[in-house]
Amino acid sequence: MKMTGDNSAGNLEITMDDVKNLMKKKDEIEEQIKAYYDVLEDQGVGVEGSLVDPEGFPRGDVNVYQIRTARHSISCLQNDHKDVMKEIEESLHQLHAREKAKQGGDASGGQEEPMEQQVTLHAPFARVDAVTQGSPACKAGLRVGDEVTEFGSVNTGNFQNLQNIASVVQHSEGKPLRVAVIRDGQRAQVSLTPQRWTGRGLLGCNIVPIIQ
């Protein structure tokens, strides 16, 4: 990160280029996480699937070493993702504070909303990695690759695990949910109504966590 002066908090000179570099780092981490999730999907075990058979021996139908490596890497990368997201948020707040100090009073008011939106814009907690044709998710307009920043009452600030989303879905059958996503770097919003259809579940999509 480009800075001037010493490293004390009062002398950091954050620029939008610094923020863009952090965004690029974030995207790279997310790509790596996605690649490791693909490994787990190929093995058919996911993050929590058991690696031992009913008799307690290592399963012979999967690559146990590869799965363990992928799971460990995902855990480490998710911690890295949390750190870079914190850096992005702090950098954006610093930019806003400096702009507010320059413009003062009413002039800074017009800057506040876009800056907060920018923080929100780049704080997804989950990603859509599969959408079934004809499903409620498909009809709502969700797409593979959408990064979820809000799912009903679940957002980046209160998300803990996928059970949070599952709970919202179960209690919202037949009721429209506001789902905010980042798509190709832009904010998008869809209205998703969990409901019975010809396939499994109430949504017809698969969502994987970015931040745990």
Side-chain angles (χ1 to χ4, degrees):
M1 181 174 292
K2 299 176 183 177
M3 304 175 188
T4 60
D6 59 38
N7 286 332
S8 63
N11 292 312
L12 298 180
E13 288 292 338
I14 304 298
T15 68
M16 279 308 300
D17 284 339
D18 295 326
V19 177
K20 289 177 181 178
N21 287 335
L22 288 171
M23 298 294 189
K24 182 178 179 182
K25 182 178 179 181
K26 174 190 77 76
D27 291 340
E28 291 172 349
I29 292 173
E30 290 175 359
E31 284 300 317
Q32 293 177 61
I33 291 175
K34 173 69 164 59
Y36 283 117
Y37 269 115
D38 288 343
V39 169
L40 297 181
E41 185 177 347
D42 288 343
Q43 292 288 332
V45 295
V47 177
E48 302 293 340
S50 177
L51 299 183
V52 297
D53 61 24
E55 297 179 354
F57 294 102
R59 288 174 56 179
D61 59 328
V62 296
N63 187 324
V64 174
Y65 175 78
Q66 186 180 45
I67 294 168
R68 285 177 174 166
T69 299
R71 287 176 174 176
H72 176 72
S73 298
I74 288 172
S75 178
C76 293
L77 286 166
Q78 286 175 332
N79 287 331
D80 292 343
H81 189 274
K82 287 183 182 179
D83 291 340
V84 76
M85 290 304 306
K86 183 177 180 181
E87 285 188 69
I88 290 171
E89 183 171 355
E90 290 175 350
S91 297
L92 288 170
H93 279 307
Q94 287 186 40
L95 284 175
H96 170 61
R98 193 162 69 234
E99 190 67 22
K100 183 176 181 179
K102 286 180 181 179
Q103 298 184 9
D106 294 337
S108 67
Q111 295 291 324
E112 185 169 356
E113 184 176 356
M115 191 62 67
E116 289 178 350
Q117 288 177 352
Q118 206 164 10
V119 173
T120 303
L121 182 64
H122 295 284
F125 57 84
R127 179 189 286 106
V128 178
D129 73 348
V131 178
T132 304
Q133 283 293 115
S135 67
C138 179
K139 293 177 180 178
L142 277 182
R143 300 179 187 173
V144 173
D146 282 352
E147 297 181 335
V148 182
T149 59
E150 184 177 338
F151 194 103
S153 60
V154 181
N155 55 47
T156 305
N158 60 25
F159 175 76
Q160 295 179 318
N161 52 53
L162 291 178
Q163 185 57 41
N164 300 143
I165 294 178
S167 179
V168 169
V169 171
Q170 289 169 6
H171 290 87
S172 302
E173 184 173 353
K175 302 175 184 178
L177 292 171
R178 178 180 183 273
V179 180
V181 302
I182 306 302
R183 180 179 298 160
D184 298 327
Q186 301 294 320
R187 185 192 302 222
Q189 181 178 318
V190 301
S191 179
L192 173 59
T193 302
Q195 58 189 324
R196 302 291 174 182
W197 61 296
T198 56
R200 294 177 57 187
L202 300 175
L203 299 181
C205 67
N206 191 50
I207 297 175
V208 296
I210 293 177
I211 303 174
Q212 289 189 341

